[in-house]
Amino acid sequence: MGAPVGVHAFVMKKSDFYFDLPAELIAQHPLEQRDASRLLVLDRADGSVTHRHFRDLLEYVQPGDCMVFNDSRVIPARLMGHAVGKTTPIEVLLLTDRGDGLWECLTRPGRKTREGVELTFGDGLLTATVESVQPDGNRLIRFHYDGIFLEILDKLGTMPLPPYIKAKLDDPERYQTVYSKTPGSAAAPTAGLHFTKELLAALERKGVQLAFVTLHVGLGTFRPVKEEEITDHVMHAEYYVMDEQTAAIIERTRQAGGKVWAVGTTASRTLETIADDEGHVRAQSGWTDIFLYPGYRFKVVDHLVTNFHLPESTLMMLISAFATREMVMEAYRQAVEQRYRFFSFGDSMLLL
C-alpha cells in the first residue's frame, strides 16, 4: 500500500531496522507472575531510558487517562489432518474468517493442498475443501461440520505458538490476555500478556478508564518484510471493531486533557485507522491494512505499551514511527546489553 497519511517522502530501508539478537534472549516460557516482567521505559522527550518492572506502569499512568486494550482471543487455529484417501499429514493454520465457513489459511506442505483437494480432520468430525490458491500462497478453504465451529476447534485444534518458541506451553491460557473475550486471532496481542486482574483493578482505582477494541491478529502482522525499500511492503488486512462505549471513553478523555494509552501495536493500529486527522474516533468496524513507519504522525495515541519485536519487522517500524528510529535502536541496544527477554513471552517496553 502507499504511504500512510502524514508520511514524508523519504526512503527507509529494511536494513535500517536490523539489530543483533542473541538466540538465548528469546523467551521460551512465560514468567510465573505476569506483571513481574521487566519494563524498559523510553521517554520520547529526551531519549532517556529507565529500567523498571511491569507493575511499575501504575506510576506513569495518571487519573483521567484511558488505556485501550485489544480483547481479541487466540483460537486453537492449528489443525492436523490429511487429504481424503491419503495418509500424508497436512497442517492447516487458520488466519482470517471470511464468513460462511470460509477461512484464509496457511497450509503445509502446500503441494498437497491444491484447488479442489478435500481434507479431513479428527476422523471426519471436520472436513474441508480447498477452494482457491491465493497469489501469496495462502489458501481459501471452506470447512464443513455439524454444530459450532469454535467448539470443534477446541477439540481438534492446538494453540498456534510463534515458530521462535520451541518449548511446549503447559497452560494455553498463558498465551491469552486475562481480558481476552472475542475469539478470532491467530496470534496473541502479546503486550497485554503482562497485565493481571489485580493490576487492571489498581488502574481503575487510580482513576484510569479501561477501554477495549477488537483486532483479530493475523500472521500478516508478523510476515517478514522482504522488500529492501519498506514502502514496497504490503500489509495483510485484519478485522477490527470499536464499540460506542470505547469511542465515548476516548473522546471524553481527550476533551478533558487526559492521555490515550495503547496497549500493543494492534491497539495502536486500530486507533490510528479509526481516528480522523484531529484524532477523533467513532464506533465502527472494518478491515485495516495500515502500515505505520517513520514519518507517520500519530493522531490519537499518546503513550504506547509494547513488547520487544523481531529485527526488520513492521512492528519495529511502527514503534520507530512513534519515537524515532535512533531512540528505538539505542533502547534495543540497551535491552540486549541488559539481557531483557524478547518476543511474545518476553519483557515489555513503555514509550512515553
Side-chain angles (χ1 to χ4, degrees), residues 19 100 132 159 161 166 262 290 309 315 318 346:
F19 63 95
D100 196 28
S132 66
M159 196 65 75
L161 291 177
K166 310 299 183 186
I290 193 169
H309 305 297
L315 307 181
L318 185 153

Side-chain angles (χ1 to χ4, degrees), residues 38-41 49-53 56 331 334-335 338 340:
R38 296 165 76 188
L39 179 70
L40 186 151
V41 182
V49 169
T50 311
H51 304 288
R52 304 294 299 271
H53 284 89
D56 300 330
Q334 291 193 39
Q338 297 289 325
Y340 274 69

Side-chain angles (χ1 to χ4, degrees), residues 50-77:
T50 311
H51 304 288
R52 304 294 299 271
H53 284 89
F54 193 80
R55 58 176 69 97
D56 300 330
L57 181 69
L58 201 58
E59 298 178 22
Y60 293 93
V61 190
Q62 300 301 315
D65 290 351
C66 76
M67 192 167 278
V68 184
F69 302 83
N70 180 7
D71 68 6
S72 183
R73 187 168 174 81
V74 186
I75 59 174

Side-chain angles (χ1 to χ4, degrees), residues 208-230:
V208 177
Q209 289 266 288
L210 308 186
F212 298 89
V213 295
T214 302
L215 181 132
H216 291 317
V217 187
L219 294 189
T221 299
F222 309 101
R223 186 180 290 266
V225 177
K226 295 178 180 175
E227 296 78 8
E228 181 56 22
E229 291 190 11
I230 66 172

